[in-house]
Amino acid sequence: MSTLNEIERAISQLSPQELAAFRAWFAEFDAAVWDQQFEADVAAGRLDALAQKALQHLREGRCTDL
């Protein structure tokens, strides 16, 4: 399976149980990829401005408790 079309075709042929297992696997895989990207963005300082803005809002009392 080297192309998106082949992957789509294979997924469409899964049984309901296999599809459920694939969904669970993909959710975990996708979350791990997102976590890695987030950690890379933090390490590179890409979120620093947003963090500073959030902290400023907190200091100014512009935040509400959840």
Side-chain angles (χ1 to χ4, degrees):
M1 282 187 233
S2 60
T3 68
L4 181 57
N5 287 336
E6 290 172 320
I7 294 167
E8 289 173 348
R9 232 182 336 269
I11 292 171
S12 72
Q13 295 173 6
L14 296 175
S15 70
Q17 295 82 10
E18 291 171 322
L19 185 56
F22 173 75
R23 280 188 185 122
W25 171 84
F26 189 79
E28 288 182 30
F29 172 81
D30 195 39
V33 170
W34 190 90
D35 287 347
Q36 290 173 352
Q37 182 62 56
F38 184 80
E39 289 172 9
D41 288 344
V42 168
R46 291 185 192 102
L47 302 175
D48 290 353
L50 291 174
Q52 291 303 319
K53 186 175 183 178
L55 290 171
Q56 179 182 352
H57 286 189
L58 180 62
R59 284 189 297 272
E60 294 171 352
R62 297 171 58 191
C63 298
T64 57
D65 292 334
L66 297 177

